[in-house]
Amino acid sequence: MDPVERAELVAGRGVRGSANQGGRRQVSIISEEAWEAAEEELGVAVDPAARRANVMVRGLDLENARGKLLRLGPCLIRVGGEVRPCERMDEAHEGLRNALRPHWRGGVFGEIVEGGTIAVGDPVAFVG
């Protein structure tokens, strides 16, 4: 997972260039604040790329967001549910899986309702 300044989200498909296309898990999103809480619990900084999420947002609590609509720049995403951390998290850093379990720290997945190009710094908020 390489950080990028821009990415294209394709409605009904996923992130352009991603292996996961279609289905309910078209995009995965983590919260910067939740990631930092997990790091604090571990007592060590871990590269967020280890989580392998498509998007990191700031200033938005993703816990219990199932069914909500999320506006990310020009895109609209329907949150499908929580991404539960798997054993690969412990491969990145021992204990990371458990640190990501509470409060949906592992992030959410969703379906792209309206696509477009997103960029670092785009506004993000729940709508409707």
Side-chain angles (χ1 to χ4, degrees), residues 10 14 18 25 30 33 39 45 91 108 117:
V10 180
S18 174
R25 199 170 173 164
I30 60 173
E33 293 86 353
E39 287 179 319
E91 293 171 13
V108 298
T117 300

Side-chain angles (χ1 to χ4, degrees), residues 52-92:
R52 303 177 54 81
N54 301 118
V55 178
M56 177 180 265
V57 297
R58 179 181 307 128
L60 193 67
D61 184 1
L62 298 173
E63 187 174 13
N64 298 313
R66 181 178 286 114
K68 292 185 179 181
L69 290 173
L70 177 71
R71 175 68 65 189
L72 174 57
C75 301
L76 188 64
I77 299 163
R78 183 183 336 277
V79 177
E82 175 185 11
V83 175
R84 292 188 176 88
C86 67
E87 63 278 351
R88 294 188 77 180
M89 297 303 96
D90 283 340
E91 293 171 13

